[in-house]
Amino acid sequence: MRAFIASSLGVTCAAALVLPLAAPAGAAPDTPAHPATAGSASADATEPAGVPGSTQSLALNPLASPSVRATGAPAAAAAEQGLPERDVQPFSLVGVVWDDVNTELHGTAQVRTRATGTGRWSDWQDLETHNAEHSADAGTPERDSGAVRGSTAPLWVGDSDGVEVRVRPETPGPGGSAQVHVPLPAGLRLELVDPGKDPQRVPGADPAQTPATGAAGADRTTSLGAAVLPALSRAETEEAAGLAAAAKPFIGPRPRIITRKGWGADEKLRESGFAYTKTVKAAFIHHSATGNNYSCSQAPSVLRGIYRYHVKSSGWRDIGYNFAVDKCGNIYEGRAGGVTKAVMGAHTLGFNTNTMGIAVLGTFTSSNPPAAAVTAVSKLTAWKLGLFGANPKGKVTLVSGGSNKYKKGKKVKLHVISGHRDGFATECPGARLYKKLGTARTSSARLQGR
């Protein structure tokens, strides 16, 4: 299944692309952590800059923190890793990865970035370090491919050409000694992602408003190459799904969906095949933890950045989420395989089977999700769950594939519309978005006619 990745990158590499950078005076150029990655640099180097996107992968090095410089304590110096301020090729999304997907990063990861054009440096920004919960389940070909790596959540920073990073290990216990640290994972690397240009379109046209051509069908993403699947009425939705009117199905009208072509997914990045489960019994709601500093016109770029980070940096077969929603309520197709089908995602570790994952682009730990985004979640779940006969206000029993909350094989009764934290001990989808799930359930059920 992962032959094309393994053949060019080696089974221990997360498919991170290393592009040549100008090294600071007196410093040696960065080299790949795994020799096999060198081959991928020349492959992407032949592509026009910025069109398909690119990834710079930089190895982190031991840093001397201010406390270390004051005390001269060498043990602590080796504990913190990062990179000092440096010029890099343009990028818009940043994250940190490491070798072993089963190893957690206990500590903090922070970045500062320099905006292209203005030359202004940002304040230090945190990366969400506990990203293991967003991954394929153990025992699946995707998880066991040998290419998957540990990773933080990526952060959207906008057009940037300079970066500084520091990763600090956790000091256990109250008042713990600065000399005692939980070791950082091996093979820490900084990933700088350029999402590439937006898809070509008619001058002046907004890709989020471009209608699809041709008659409305159930799933035309591949067959007609549509950029957008238009919204359907309830009657059209039932007809497209092949449902008889006499059956009185509980299904919401299909909302407008921007397809992978619409947001500019490079289909050469992902694996060519698709993975499916039997049905869709539940939806897990996430926040992308990429921050809220994006405009709705930038949402396709954010998605392309996440997609490239999931595949090239983290070693996944495709973007992990089945769908995404931006702050303006636009809905996007995520993992390839057909919007009407039960596509196996990599969004909720332990509960990817017979479920779908919806990521609201942003971070909602202390910020409220826009009403438009919550409404979009309601519309999307009313339609997609309705295709499989699921009641958004109901509960369902799922079998855990193994998580930090439920052991493998345990039967768990969860809401049909659940937050990520319901299946995994995590802050996702953020406390503020999680509080809105009750509203989403009620609205979704009403749209289904319940």
Side-chain angles (χ1 to χ4, degrees), residues 280 323 338-342 356 380-388:
V280 179
F323 295 93
V339 294
T340 63
K341 298 179 180 179
M356 67 173 178
L380 177 57
T381 52
W383 168 69
K384 185 62 182 281
L385 291 173
L387 291 176
F388 294 89

Side-chain angles (χ1 to χ4, degrees), residues 18-31 56-58 83-90 114 161-163 192:
V18 182
L19 296 181
L21 301 173
D30 290 285
T31 55
Q56 302 167 66
S57 185
L58 310 175
L83 290 173
E85 287 185 10
R86 61 175 296 166
D87 298 337
V88 292
Q89 294 181 10
R114 185 181 62 205
D161 58 10
V163 69
L192 305 175

Side-chain angles (χ1 to χ4, degrees), residues 244-256:
K248 295 182 179 180
F250 292 107
I251 180 173
R254 187 184 74 187
R256 177 176 166 278

